[in-house]
Structures are given as C-alpha cells and as structure tokens.
Amino acid sequence: MQDIGYEGMQKLMNSKVAIVGCGALGSTQAEILARAGIKKIKVIDRDYVDLSNLHRTHMITEKDAIDTLPKAIACKKWIKEIDSSIEVESVIDDFDSTNAEKFLNNVDLIIDGTDNLESRFLINDFSVKYNIPWIYSGVSSWYGNVMFIKPNQGACLRCLIPETNNQNESCDIIPSIGTMTTLVSSISSNLAIRYLAGNEVPYGVLFVIDGRDISLEKIKITKNEKCPTCGLHQYEFLEKKILRNVVRICGTHAIEIRPEKFLNIDFIKKINKIKEKFNVISINKYSIRVQRDTIQIVLMNNGLGIVEGINDVNIAKKLYDELFNIII
Ligand SMILES: [Zn+2]
C-alpha cells in the first residue's frame, strides 16, 4: 500500500489512540482503526446502548440495547472480536475537566467521537497544552465537519469557533443519519491512519461535507494569534471547576447521578433483594436497569446512575439512593 508499507504498518501497530465518545462516530472510527492495525485503543463513554442508537451506530446490536450494555463495553467487545490482540481500554465515565488529563495521557492521537462542543473544547485545551494532535469530527443532519488539529502549528478548534453559546447542548437533540456519521468517521479515520503511518496530513483545514449533493469543500483556517487556547494559552475548559454529582441530561427527561467515588459493584449477588423493591428489566455484570412505576434507573457497575422519565432531581436522587443502598 503506497504511503504505508511495512514501516507504516509497524508505526500503526505501535500507535495508541483515544476515542472520546463511542456512539455513532466513535464506534465507526474505532472499527476502522481496529481493522487498519492500530493495536492500542482507548474508548471513553458514559452512556449505554439504546434502541434509538441502532440506525446510526456501528458495533452495537439490538441485544446490547435490551441488555442496557454500556457503549464503551459494547465497543470493546466488538473490537476484541475483530482482533483479540488489540489492547482495548474502555472507560465508563463522563469526559470532563476532572478526568481529561488522566484519560488522554500518553496517547499519540485523540479522535473526536463526541456530540457536543463543550467536550471538543476540552479536548482542544488538552491537545494544545500537551502538544498532542486531535481530529475534530462533527455531524448535524446532512452535514459533516472534519479538521485535523496539529497543536501549536496550525489553527485549533477555537481559532475556528471562538465561543459556544450553548455549552450544554448535546446530542440527543441533534438529528443525524448513519450515512453522514459513517462518511465523517471514514474521513477522520483516513486522516488518523495517514498521520499515524508517518505521512503528512492537511492540518488546519476544515473539511465540510454536504450529504445532500455529495460535495466536499476544503477551507483553510488561519491560526488566530489572539485565540484564547493556542494564542494566549488559557485553558479555561481544562481548568473549569464543575459540580457533577447530579446533572440533568439535556434533550431528555433523564438525570445523571454520580457516586461519591467509583466502585466495582456485583449486581448479581443482590438480585433477590433488588427484586423485592424494583422491577428488574435487564441485568449483566456491567449494568442493571430497573423500573418503578413509570421511572427507570440504569446503574453502571461503577455506581454511575441515570434515572429516566423524570425531571425532579430530588425524587431521582431518592430512587437512586434506594437502589444504591440495596446493592452496596
Ligand atoms: Zn487556536
């Protein structure tokens, strides 16, 4: 293969990538990179598989949704089935300023599989501060964007987008179609493979893909000397103090609740006690889904919980505590 060869293949096999988000974009990117020979892949996602993901997300099945399998676990399972020699690290957690440095430490390239600008600005801060390149990838409706960001050389994401008006905007409310997430994942993975194999890649160039008439435009983004991140080196997203014990998940009737510290819970042992109080819908070693009246709770084995079908934070917290206390 031109531009790769034996040497390029060795480089790919020795590369480590982190993919932030393992939904429609991240799962496709992970699959392409795994099949291309990358041997160390880290996937980060706090969400679990839902039936509504099936139309656009690779690596997941209807059974994964019925089992409420965490996306990071579904991705890991699939990558290992593609090639069992790949080292896959799966992280079930939110990606935020409290853990970004820990999660992205020691990787050669970061790939954006996220669905919100806040996470992308955080990756961008990390990338510029630690001089690790990343690939911005985004999809909305029939449009897609990709940009390879070579920190401290070309434009960064905030040279392109200085601020976000709605930093909490997320995902569940952005429409997307599988053809566009696959197309964007393919372009970003192509850049990743070329870079990791030792080729020059176009950096600071925004690829704009229009899926309606199948057109691709390349726009050169100029590095802004006054850019808060790469010009002034202010890492406000990385340094952001956040309160994250109880968070309303935007675009849904769901509330996320975090334990004081992450644990390793064995649900199966407590199944009879749980059944006395809740209707158990699914259970496996990674997560349990239970129901009471119209409210459902998904609890991951690290203690992270999502209470669905409710807007009242206090009731959500009470139900979470009740389930949590049975299990602990
Ligand atoms: Zn910049």
Side-chain angles (χ1 to χ4, degrees), residues 139-152:
V139 170
S140 178
S141 180
W142 292 101
Y143 304 96
N145 285 341
V146 178
M147 184 161 105
F148 190 98
I149 291 160
K150 205 171 191 180
N152 305 308

Side-chain angles (χ1 to χ4, degrees), residues 68-273:
T68 320
L69 202 63
K71 287 179 182 173
I73 299 296
C75 278
K76 179 178 180 174
K77 200 175 66 148
W78 196 287
I79 295 169
K80 292 298 262 184
E81 280 178 23
I82 292 168
D83 179 350
S84 60
S85 71
I86 299 174
E87 279 176 41
V88 191
E89 196 179 334
S90 60
V91 178
I92 308 169
D93 199 354
D94 283 299
F95 173 72
D96 59 34
S97 58
T98 66
N99 56 31
E101 283 165 304
K102 183 175 81 176
F103 290 161
L104 301 182
N105 179 36
N106 204 21
V107 300
D108 299 302
L109 180 68
I110 304 156
I111 300 178
D112 172 17
T114 71
D115 54 16
N116 65 88
L117 214 41
E118 177 94 7
S119 298
R120 292 178 176 125
F121 281 163
L122 183 56
I123 299 173
N124 193 60
D125 270 11
F126 178 88
S127 158
V128 175
K129 185 173 177 185
Y130 294 98
N131 214 27
I132 297 174
W134 74 286
I135 303 175
Y136 159 55
S137 321
V139 170
S140 178
S141 180
W142 292 101
Y143 304 96
N145 285 341
V146 178
M147 184 161 105
F148 190 98
I149 291 160
K150 205 171 191 180
N152 305 308
Q153 294 191 48
C156 80
L157 185 65
R158 288 191 77 189
C159 294
L160 171 68
I161 312 168
E163 301 296 336
T164 166
N165 291 329
N166 183 0
Q167 294 176 0
N168 292 321
E169 186 184 339
S170 169
C171 53
D172 286 346
I173 52 175
I174 299 174
S176 62
I177 184 160
T179 52
M180 289 310 294
T181 51
T182 304
L183 197 50
V184 163
S185 297
S186 196
I187 292 170
S188 53
S189 302
N190 190 77
L191 290 169
I193 291 165
R194 286 193 61 82
Y195 171 74
L196 295 171
N199 296 289
E200 274 298 313
V201 289
Y203 58 88
V205 176
L206 179 69
F207 294 89
V208 181
I209 307 113
D210 185 333
R212 295 171 310 167
D213 60 0
I214 317 293
S215 65
L216 189 145
E217 205 179 333
K218 288 201 276 183
I219 303 168
K220 178 77 191 159
I221 307 299
T222 310
K223 185 167 155 50
N224 175 7
E225 296 308 323
K226 289 184 181 165
C227 164
T229 311
C230 72
L232 306 176
H233 293 275
Q234 295 162 351
Y235 306 113
E236 60 186 279
F237 290 88
L238 210 49
E239 286 159 10
K240 200 176 212 176
K241 299 270 179 288
I242 53 164
L243 288 171
R244 55 173 197 167
N245 290 348
V246 179
V247 181
R248 212 183 291 272
I249 302 173
C250 157
T252 65
H253 297 289
I255 291 162
E256 180 189 320
I257 300 169
R258 304 178 64 84
E260 279 174 25
K261 59 174 187 177
F262 273 10
L263 309 151
N264 192 7
I265 302 168
D266 184 351
F267 307 114
I268 318 275
K269 269 188 191 168
K270 302 289 173 90
I271 184 70
N272 290 333
K273 285 200 165 170

